[in-house]
Amino acid sequence: MKLLKIIGIFIILAVSVTCNAQVAKTTEKAPFDYVVEQFADIKVLRYQIPGWENLTLKEQKLVYYLTQAGTSGRDIMWDQHYKYNLKIRKALENIYKNYKGDKTAEDWKNFEIYLKRVWFSNGIHHHYSSDKIKPGFSVAYFNGLLKATKTTLSPTIEAIIFNDVDAKRVNLDESKGLLEGSAINFYDKGITLKETEDFYAKKTSPDPKKPYSYGLNSKLVRNAKGQLTEKVWKSGGMYGAVIDKIIYWLEKAKSVAENKKQADALGLLISYYKTGSLKTWDDYNIAWLHATEGNIDYINGFIEVYNDPLGYRGSYEGIVQIKDFDMSAKMEVVSKNAQWFEDNSPLMPEHKKKNVVGVSYKTVIVAGESGDASPSTPIGVNLPNADWIRAEHGSKSVSLGNIIDSYAKAAGKGKLEEFANDEQEIALAKKYGEIGDKMHTALHEVVGHASGQINPGVGTPKESLKSYASTLEEGRADLVGLYYLYNPKLQELGLVDDWKKLGMESYDSYIRNGLMTQLVRLELGANIEEAHMRNRQWVSSWVFEKGQKDNVIEKITRNGKTYFNITDYDKLHDLFGQLLREVQRIKSEGDFNAGKALVENYGVKVDQKLHAEVLERNKQFASAAYSGFVNPVLVPKLDKTGKIISIEVQQPKTFAEQMLKYSKNFGVLPLEN
């Protein structure tokens, strides 16, 4: 599970944070330029790799090979997002590279913005809302560009760019059909929800207590006989041309592994890509969990299921990371006390884990991201996702320190003052906002996702809670964090200097964001679709409603502007505990109807009057609603025999430069798969 996109952009919107100087100390003399450019609702940033020069050449090679493996799979994500994405991207890029006409015209500028938005989203649907991106130029102008650059694109696909066909990449509105209303390329058109559920109901794992992640690495299709079957993503199967490239670089990484456990894990990942075996995937995850020594780690595979409205299929993702020793040591305190947090939680006794196993937590320095993690990135990740592996073997949690650092240093100013209720709230945010964000990240990932257990005989959340599983799980982990952010244990462990003030600030910022400031990401009139946005609203809306009797959270109108003021932090803490207890019950018992009611009643619909007000108040700020990153470029230097003698870190000058190089160097997938 990833802390997004989750709290990644929440940091910028909820509070103007100060620089995270502990994460990275730059050795560059000139100020680092964090901002690449801004367009539409997007800001593109850079991040540094502090301490790169302190790695051995062998470690640098390992990082280089792993980043090459990750980026090799980039086009899988494009094709997963939508079946026509690769064809559309090829046409758009050909126009961009070859057009010789007037590039000062407004239509051309709008074409450039459209292309950059498509690059940023890995396709023609918005990376966050999943709505189809609307071009700011006409069909006639686009036809002129196609003709002027001798670019070919079928009339059907050209029309799709402008019409309302496949308008939503991921649709969670059941009335429109979870599959019928989703453009995601995980299912053949015409396959129904019932057919899919029946197909997977027939699949059984050798050990019911260790269920395979059926559907994780395949597309569900209908064969010539009309029967459902899976096209597995593996060498020799679907996406085989790219997967062979991934395997090539993983084998080179294995040759310079830091230790045997790391090499063995890489070997299993390679075997998984060669065979597509879900048993091997489980074996790999267990081996990867136990490979905790060394300075380098990575995430690679078909992992998060947020993009599948049914929660089966994993989006391709790669992150390569270097351990940040200083911050990891501080955050390890949370890991070592995971059992205390579980034992003292408000969960029903039967839903608590008796033994929280192997929760490791590190702050890391990102060296490269790809697929679902790029350009829009999480700031924290907790893996693996299989509940039985987490219960028996634990999990790895990481906080992406240099990503958080870049967000903070590039953040806009003034939003806190605009949306916070009073001077006390502002003062608390300025003093405790940064550490509060870090602690919520740690508690969400380490304690939150590791806590609780499913009752015997209850299926996995994707089976029992279906399309609501992702938002309920992220909200559950958020609630664990919120419950313990207002607790003297944090001060007792030496993690904060004033637990009460930190908790007050964290509650202020969460309610402010969940009920108000996150709405800047939506167009007026839209419902909330994205899982993390939903969870922040249903958590905030539920406690707001349940606390009305005691006026726990006031809704204040002052000079025509809305503010939310927490009047009783102790009672709000209790409400968070009550909601956590209920959400864990829903997960543990597989109570679909209760989970659906919670999300639909509190997390989907938007107060349109408040939304219009928030959008109007936000117009004064130039900063974009969303941020993402270009990746540093690792450039190997070779001797006369072709051996790598050093690897240099370079920064791309522009967003377009990196995107075009990626297409040129890693665009090996067929346009139809």
Short mmCIF file of all heavy atoms in Angstrom, two decimals, residues 230 247 373 393 439 509 517 563:
data_model
loop_
_atom_site.label_atom_id
_atom_site.label_comp_id
_atom_site.label_asym_id
_atom_site.label_seq_id
_atom_site.Cartn_x
_atom_site.Cartn_y
_atom_site.Cartn_z
N GLU A 230 -7.03 -15.84 -18.82
CA GLU A 230 -6.10 -14.78 -18.45
C GLU A 230 -4.92 -14.71 -19.41
O GLU A 230 -4.35 -15.74 -19.79
CB GLU A 230 -5.56 -15.03 -17.03
CG GLU A 230 -6.60 -14.87 -15.95
CD GLU A 230 -6.03 -15.17 -14.56
OE1 GLU A 230 -5.20 -16.10 -14.44
OE2 GLU A 230 -6.41 -14.48 -13.60
N ILE A 247 13.96 -8.31 -17.01
CA ILE A 247 14.74 -9.46 -16.55
C ILE A 247 16.23 -9.25 -16.81
O ILE A 247 17.07 -9.55 -15.95
CB ILE A 247 14.25 -10.75 -17.25
CG1 ILE A 247 12.85 -11.12 -16.75
CG2 ILE A 247 15.22 -11.91 -17.03
CD1 ILE A 247 12.18 -12.23 -17.54
N ALA A 373 4.57 4.86 -10.02
CA ALA A 373 5.19 5.79 -9.06
C ALA A 373 5.77 7.03 -9.72
O ALA A 373 6.38 7.86 -9.04
CB ALA A 373 6.29 5.06 -8.29
N HIS A 393 4.85 -12.90 8.26
CA HIS A 393 6.24 -12.50 8.01
C HIS A 393 6.49 -11.01 8.21
O HIS A 393 7.64 -10.58 8.19
CB HIS A 393 6.65 -12.90 6.59
CG HIS A 393 6.56 -14.37 6.33
ND1 HIS A 393 7.58 -15.24 6.67
CD2 HIS A 393 5.58 -15.12 5.79
CE1 HIS A 393 7.22 -16.47 6.33
NE2 HIS A 393 6.02 -16.43 5.80
N MET A 439 5.23 11.82 11.54
CA MET A 439 4.71 10.84 12.48
C MET A 439 3.45 10.17 11.93
O MET A 439 3.24 8.97 12.14
CB MET A 439 4.40 11.52 13.82
CG MET A 439 5.63 11.93 14.63
SD MET A 439 6.85 10.60 14.79
CE MET A 439 5.83 9.26 15.41
N SER A 509 -5.07 19.92 10.84
CA SER A 509 -4.71 19.82 9.42
C SER A 509 -5.49 18.72 8.71
O SER A 509 -5.87 18.88 7.55
CB SER A 509 -3.20 19.60 9.26
OG SER A 509 -2.80 18.37 9.81
N THR A 517 -9.77 21.64 1.98
CA THR A 517 -8.73 22.03 1.01
C THR A 517 -8.46 20.99 -0.06
O THR A 517 -8.01 21.35 -1.15
CB THR A 517 -7.41 22.37 1.74
OG1 THR A 517 -7.00 21.27 2.55
CG2 THR A 517 -7.58 23.61 2.59
N TYR A 563 -14.79 28.07 7.82
CA TYR A 563 -13.66 27.52 8.57
C TYR A 563 -14.18 26.39 9.46
O TYR A 563 -15.36 26.35 9.81
CB TYR A 563 -13.01 28.59 9.46
CG TYR A 563 -12.51 29.80 8.71
CD1 TYR A 563 -13.34 30.91 8.53
CD2 TYR A 563 -11.22 29.84 8.19
CE1 TYR A 563 -12.89 32.02 7.83
CE2 TYR A 563 -10.77 30.95 7.49
CZ TYR A 563 -11.60 32.03 7.32
OH TYR A 563 -11.16 33.13 6.62
#
